[in-house]
Amino acid sequence: MIAGDAAHQTPPFAGQGMCSGIRDAANLAWKLDAVLRGAASAALLDSYQAEREPHVRAAIELAIGMGRVVCTLDPNAAAQRDAGMLAAQAGGAPTLPPMRPTAFASDCVLAGSPGAGELFPQPTAGEAPARLRMDDRLGDSACLIARTPVGGTVAGVRLLDVDADELAPFRPALLAWLDRHAADCVLVRPDRYVFGSGAPRVLLDAWAQSLNPATPAQG
Ligand SMILES: Cc1cc2nc3c(=O)[nH]c(=O)nc-3n(C[C@H](O)[C@H](O)[C@H](O)COP(=O)(O)OP(=O)(O)OC[C@H]3O[C@@H](n4cnc5c(N)ncnc54)[C@H](O)[C@@H]3O)c2cc1C
């Protein structure tokens, strides 16, 4: 597996080179960990390229677009550029093409369920230096976050509900996400991308299946 600049390089204009490498590492680390612990089959690693390549391409396209803006040397072309950007701004349109990476489409998300493959929010609470991020409370594992408590235990998945004490500061943001996706429950991967939303049992079964694709689905 390769990650970071060894896998892709970008013009510097969007400041996304290291960011892309960090995203690679976040995507790959939990998968390697799961495979090495025997909690997932090696086929899980196939999702790394499928998920990261479109995102990195989007970042590089953005950087190329920004480069075209700032590297204009011809005064006439620069004047046209400025006029175009000012007109776009006056009309409320974006002045640069936004970076719009698509949601992940791989075997490691529950395709078709609302929010699947999107980055999950990272709400914060309090002020620096005591600012709390939701990650500080979620830990490193996958998390199932439901509107109401889901009983039992599941290896490798933290079962939480929006009324759990540790999630109290983030309850409004979590409820807003669930409302926006008309979902009772969301399963968030260790890299904080959404595996899928829907009924808890369906999510947990699909998650187990995605970690071990050769295993027939249970229930
Ligand atoms: C001027 C400049 C400004 C930048 N600004 C930004 C920015 O604002 N935001 C941003 O996100 N990114 C920025 N970047 C990009 C960012 O620096 C790189 O994307 C990032 O450092 C890549 O990290 P990496 O670990 O993948 O590779 P590298 O940082 O290249 O690390 C690879 C390491 O492997 C070592 N190595 C190589 N071969 C071997 C070998 N055979 N055995 C052992 N070790 C080896 C190298 O010595 C090096 O230490 C900028 C880059 C430059 C040059």
Side-chain angles (χ1 to χ4, degrees), residues 1-218:
M1 316 302 293
I2 53 171
D5 276 19
H8 45 73
Q9 289 191 309
T10 173
F13 306 108
Q16 287 293 310
M18 174 67 86
C19 297
S20 295
I22 290 170
R23 292 186 192 111
D24 292 345
N27 187 293
L28 194 50
W30 71 269
K31 294 175 183 174
L32 285 172
D33 176 60
V35 171
L36 292 172
R37 281 188 294 105
S41 78
L44 175 66
L45 300 175
D46 292 343
S47 62
Y48 170 62
Q49 178 82 10
E51 294 181 348
R52 288 299 303 140
E53 182 176 347
H55 278 214
V56 174
R57 284 193 184 281
I60 293 172
E61 292 298 328
L62 175 73
I64 292 171
M66 291 177 73
R68 289 203 181 103
V69 171
V70 300
C71 293
T72 304
L73 297 177
D74 179 330
N76 292 327
Q80 276 183 10
R81 172 204 63 196
D82 293 349
M85 291 180 82
L86 287 168
Q89 190 180 40
T95 52
L96 280 174
M99 187 170 86
R100 279 212 185 102
T102 51
F104 288 155
S106 76
D107 292 340
C108 198
V109 296
L110 185 57
S113 73
E118 294 175 7
L119 188 59
F120 198 62
Q122 169 72 297
T124 59
E127 297 301 321
R131 181 177 294 134
L132 191 66
R133 291 180 170 80
M134 193 165 69
D135 271 356
D136 298 327
R137 293 289 171 82
L138 291 185
D140 294 330
S141 64
C143 295
L144 186 88
I145 305 171
R147 288 182 192 269
T148 53
V150 176
T153 57
V154 177
V157 182
R158 268 190 93 185
L159 304 182
L160 293 161
D161 64 88
V162 294
D163 291 322
D165 286 346
E166 59 263 56
L167 295 185
F170 312 114
R171 191 169 184 271
L174 290 169
L175 284 173
W177 192 96
L178 291 170
D179 289 346
R180 203 162 56 250
H181 293 81
D184 286 333
C185 186
V186 58
L187 200 155
V188 185
R189 306 186 332 181
D191 59 8
R192 301 294 169 248
Y193 278 83
V194 175
F195 172 72
S197 63
R201 182 45 55 194
V202 172
L203 289 174
L204 290 168
D205 285 349
W207 173 248
Q209 174 81 6
S210 81
L211 295 184
N212 291 285
T215 310
Q218 303 292 308

